[in-house]
Amino acid sequence: MIYAIERINSDPKLLPNITLGYDIHDYCESASLAVNATYKFVKDMESHYVCPKEFLASQPPNKTAPGHVSPLISVIGPGDSGSSVLVGSLLKVAGVPVISFGATSEELSSPFYKHFYRTVPSDKQQASAMADLFEYFGWNYVGAIAVDDSYGRYGVWALEKESFTRKSFCIALSEYIPRLNYMNKIKIIISKLKRERKVKVIVLWLFGGYGKSFLKEAEKQQIFDRTWIFKRCPCI
């Protein structure tokens, strides 16, 4: 990202008379840290309102106020849907666009998030592609394990809609992993999967450390006779 911004700033033809800056925060897959950083952005914006007293007497300061200067023009990220829902809701109030490179939840396609944009397709399209995969291989008994947030729940709901429409497969099992203190839940889910012998194909609607921890525990409990389908897990 820094490289791209520096290239843009060095080319006067791209954004003449405009210099882009950046403030990068690592939110460590934590929704609370993402919201905390976003709140600081919004507070910094408020401190940059510069309005003459006579204008303040007629109307409150806003984006069109004379002398208004805001250094924040957009937020890139977060990468996951659960954090993007919270960040998008907060920045919607300030009218700041959010562009995510990885948030795919269909919830973010709602008109409520009119300032939210992304560079990846929503889970509605990816669920349809998965359903095509199930039909191609004749898999009609499928399980789904998802993170318990907007990303995971909307993803599983999209798969359930495909199942209801197509009638060619069923979601025989669905489990959700909490975003905090999730290892105990992962161990319970994998123990349950060991007993569910009929569920041979399992969709993992996980990301980051959740997917990595899940696979490590599956290996530890010696589940080697399943077909795992990762919707998205860049850590693997």
Side-chain angles (χ1 to χ4, degrees):
M1 182 175 178
I2 295 174
Y3 173 77
I5 291 175
E6 290 177 346
R7 288 296 301 271
I8 292 171
N9 288 337
S10 65
D11 189 340
K13 295 180 181 179
L14 292 177
L15 293 175
N17 301 320
I18 294 177
T19 301
L20 296 178
Y22 51 83
D23 186 3
I24 299 177
H25 295 255
D26 183 359
Y27 73 105
C28 306
E29 296 182 357
S30 169
S32 60
L33 289 179
V35 171
N36 185 52
T38 305
Y39 176 69
K40 290 180 180 179
F41 289 150
V42 175
K43 281 192 66 176
D44 289 343
M45 288 181 65
E46 293 176 350
S47 67
H48 284 80
Y49 281 110
V50 182
C51 304
K53 291 182 179 180
E54 59 273 17
F55 185 84
L56 288 173
S58 62
Q59 66 181 77
N62 54 49
K63 282 191 167 185
T64 60
H68 173 273
V69 177
S70 172
L72 183 66
I73 59 172
S74 179
V75 170
I76 309 298
D80 69 279
S81 299
S83 300
S84 292
V85 166
L86 299 174
V87 169
S89 299
L90 184 55
L91 291 179
K92 173 180 177 290
V93 178
V96 176
V98 181
I99 305 172
S100 175
F101 49 87
T104 56
S105 172
E106 182 65 15
E107 180 180 5
L108 292 164
S109 298
S110 164
F112 180 81
Y113 299 96
K114 63 180 180 179
H115 294 290
F116 177 83
Y117 306 89
R118 52 184 159 204
T119 59
V120 290
S122 74
D123 288 331
K124 180 179 180 180
Q125 297 176 352
Q126 300 190 50
S128 178
M130 278 194 181
D132 290 341
L133 192 66
F134 301 156
E135 290 182 337
Y136 180 82
F137 287 104
W139 295 329
N140 53 21
Y141 208 67
V142 179
I145 312 297
V147 64
D148 193 4
D149 65 2
S150 176
Y151 168 69
R153 289 198 171 273
Y154 274 80
V156 174
W157 290 343
L159 277 179
E160 290 174 343
K161 288 179 182 177
E162 291 290 336
S163 172
F164 179 79
T165 302
R166 301 189 186 212
K167 303 288 193 299
S168 57
F169 67 94
C170 71
I171 306 299
L173 175 145
S174 58
E175 295 284 346
Y176 295 93
I177 297 172
R179 292 197 60 151
L180 298 177
N181 303 319
Y182 54 85
M183 276 311 303
N184 283 338
K185 183 64 174 180
I186 286 178
K187 292 177 181 178
I188 293 171
I189 290 174
I190 292 178
S191 296
K192 185 175 181 179
L193 283 175
K194 292 179 72 173
R195 299 191 298 268
E196 296 286 345
R197 305 296 301 176
K198 292 183 178 179
V199 183
K200 293 294 186 180
V201 178
I202 303 162
V203 175
L204 297 179
W205 219 280
L206 306 172
F207 65 91
Y210 303 96
K212 191 172 184 178
S213 297
F214 190 92
L215 279 188
K216 283 185 175 181
E217 184 62 27
E219 180 184 23
K220 185 177 179 180
Q221 295 196 31
Q222 298 184 331
I223 298 184
F224 303 118
D225 58 345
R226 312 298 167 94
T227 298
W228 309 98
I229 301 177
F230 274 96
K231 184 269 174 182
R232 168 181 169 263
C233 189
C235 67
I236 303 301

